[in-house]
Amino acid sequence: MQTENLTGRQKSAIILIALGSELSSKVLKHFREDEIEDLTLEIANLRRISPEIKDGVMDEFYELCLAQNYISLGGIDYAKEMLEKALGPTRAQDILNKLTTSLQVRPFDFARKTDPSQLLNFIQNEHPQTIALVLSYLNPDQAGMILSALPPINQVEVAKRIATMDRAAPEVLREVENVLEKRLSSFVMQDFTQAGGIDSAVAILNRVDRGTEKTIIEALEEDNPDLAEEIKKRMFVFEDLVTMDDRSIQRVLKEVDMRDLALALKTASEEVTNRILKNISSRARDMIKEDISLMGPVRLRDVEEAQQKIVNFVRQLDESGEIVISRGGEDEIIV
């Protein structure tokens, strides 16, 4: 079996096997449940992998990662130049040919290299839809700074448009790019490209100041309650517990059923687990550890529901003022 005859899923399974169970489990946390099931099945079906096949897949994975890094540093031309120096022109071209949307330069590349304050002056008088489109392609930190600096009425409009945006046609992206940066040539995909969405809105809102977040969420609750609720659910995730101080964690844990806590910790990172166990009594700690060890296989959906219960308690206590969740490094964590 040659590497070129392997499917992408088979290659992914081989990489996970090569990484070992500990690292692979951390990687799998970033996949959807259906993807985890597919990969697990693929791993189970791989009876034997020769060292040559494994090395070939790992080499290919390394080369793709190398190319991604070069592109993020300096674009396609820079990546091509660096790959040719490292691997020769033929191999460099082969690697670049394998890369599709994940390695194409995203629209508004020039904007991501621009200071947010300068970019604000550049786009603040544009239509909210145009601003939303540009912010969707920026780094969340840049977009959060710009969104915070907009007038409140524009903040709400822009945030709503980011969250409800789905796809942008290439001709629209080209037109906006050309208006904003006439001197820079753009590299726009010849297909519809993903832009915005709830995840993009949440990533940006997580980096704005609390006043801006409150203004936007309250306005969305009136205008589109379902959208506001979906955004609020994602504003603080279970892994973010490590950003809270001990007293806040202890306050949250008072509301949590120990069975839910044990289930929630089933797939938690070592950092989160240690932080939580540090903030409960030694007796409760021993009970949780025993429950986890005796739990056996559980559905990922059940674990996520238990984690979401805890996240809901965090948000309730934050909204009531009993604790304060830090946002973007700007807030002091207090009780």
Side-chain angles (χ1 to χ4, degrees):
M1 181 167 50
Q2 301 298 317
T3 57
E4 57 265 25
N5 296 326
L6 296 171
T7 65
R9 189 179 296 170
Q10 287 174 325
K11 291 178 180 179
S12 298
I14 290 172
I15 290 171
L16 290 173
I17 292 171
L19 289 175
S21 59
E22 184 174 350
L23 285 176
S24 293
S25 64
K26 295 179 180 179
V27 173
L28 286 172
K29 291 178 183 178
H30 299 280
F31 287 83
R32 299 192 309 268
E33 184 174 353
D34 61 314
E35 293 173 331
I36 294 174
E37 291 174 357
D38 289 341
L39 283 171
T40 302
L41 181 62
E42 200 64 61
I43 291 172
N45 288 332
L46 288 173
R47 302 299 180 187
R48 182 178 179 277
I49 307 168
S50 68
E52 293 79 15
I53 291 293
K54 185 187 73 172
D55 290 345
V57 172
M58 294 301 290
D59 286 344
E60 181 180 340
F61 179 61
Y62 170 74
E63 290 170 349
L64 293 177
C65 290
L66 195 65
Q68 283 180 319
N69 184 51
Y70 287 150
I71 285 179
S72 66
L73 289 174
I76 292 289
D77 292 337
Y78 176 78
K80 184 178 180 181
E81 180 184 351
M82 293 296 100
L83 289 172
E84 286 179 349
K85 288 180 180 179
L87 306 171
T90 302
R91 186 60 186 149
Q93 192 60 50
D94 287 343
I95 294 170
L96 290 175
N97 287 341
K98 289 180 181 178
L99 306 177
T100 53
T101 55
S102 63
L103 287 185
Q104 292 184 30
V105 174
R106 284 166 58 81
F108 304 104
D109 183 55
F110 74 90
R112 288 188 292 277
K113 300 175 182 177
T114 304
D115 182 83
S117 60
Q118 295 177 338
L119 194 56
L120 172 66
N121 293 330
F122 210 36
I123 67 172
Q124 62 182 342
N125 295 321
E126 298 291 333
H127 189 278
Q129 185 66 28
T130 301
I131 300 175
L133 182 62
V134 176
L135 295 192
S136 294
Y137 283 102
L138 297 184
N139 297 322
D141 286 331
Q142 290 177 300
M145 292 175 65
I146 292 172
L147 185 60
S148 295
L150 292 174
I153 188 170
N154 285 1
Q155 291 173 347
V156 175
E157 272 300 309
V158 170
K160 181 170 66 176
R161 290 169 186 270
I162 292 173
T164 56
M165 192 183 300
D166 182 19
R167 296 181 184 274
E171 58 270 19
V172 174
L173 292 174
R174 288 193 187 96
E175 182 179 351
V176 175
E177 277 192 312
N178 288 336
V179 170
L180 295 181
E181 187 56 276
K182 293 180 180 179
R183 294 184 180 180
L184 293 180
S185 60
S186 61
F187 183 86
V188 182
M189 292 177 288
Q190 298 304 312
D191 195 359
F192 284 78
T193 178
Q194 191 71 36
I198 291 179
D199 287 339
S200 179
V202 169
I204 294 171
L205 287 174
N206 271 329
R207 289 162 174 82
V208 304
D209 60 87
R210 293 180 63 80
T212 298
E213 178 201 324
K214 188 171 183 291
T215 298
I216 292 173
I217 293 297
E218 287 179 351
L220 285 178
E221 285 175 335
E222 293 185 8
D223 185 64
N224 192 331
D226 291 339
L227 177 62
E229 184 59 31
E230 188 62 31
I231 289 176
K232 285 166 64 178
K233 282 182 183 177
R234 305 190 196 186
M235 286 293 292
F236 183 94
V237 296
F238 186 74
E239 295 292 321
D240 291 337
L241 285 168
V242 296
T243 67
M244 297 172 58
D245 66 288
D246 290 341
R247 291 178 63 193
S248 294
I249 293 176
Q250 291 164 16
R251 178 64 187 89
V252 171
L253 293 179
K254 287 181 180 179
E255 308 291 333
V256 178
D257 185 293
M258 288 297 105
R259 290 171 296 183
D260 286 334
L261 182 58
L263 189 57
L265 293 178
K266 179 72 174 177
T267 62
S269 67
E270 184 179 353
E271 184 180 13
V272 172
T273 300
N274 290 340
R275 191 65 187 276
I276 289 179
L277 294 181
K278 170 188 173 185
N279 284 285
I280 59 179
S281 67
S282 58
R283 181 168 175 244
R285 191 181 308 130
D286 292 337
M287 290 175 60
I288 290 291
K289 289 181 177 179
E290 183 178 4
D291 286 346
I292 294 175
S293 65
L294 298 176
M295 193 175 296
V298 295
R299 292 188 305 175
L300 181 61
R301 186 183 301 109
D302 294 334
V303 174
E304 290 174 343
E305 287 178 358
Q307 292 178 348
Q308 188 60 48
K309 285 183 182 179
I310 296 175
V311 168
N312 290 341
F313 285 132
V314 172
R315 291 206 61 86
Q316 289 170 15
L317 293 172
D318 177 54
E319 290 171 0
S320 67
E322 293 191 52
I323 64 172
V324 175
I325 303 172
S326 177
R327 299 288 201 293
E330 296 294 330
D331 294 322
E332 191 73 15
I333 306 175
I334 58 174
V335 176

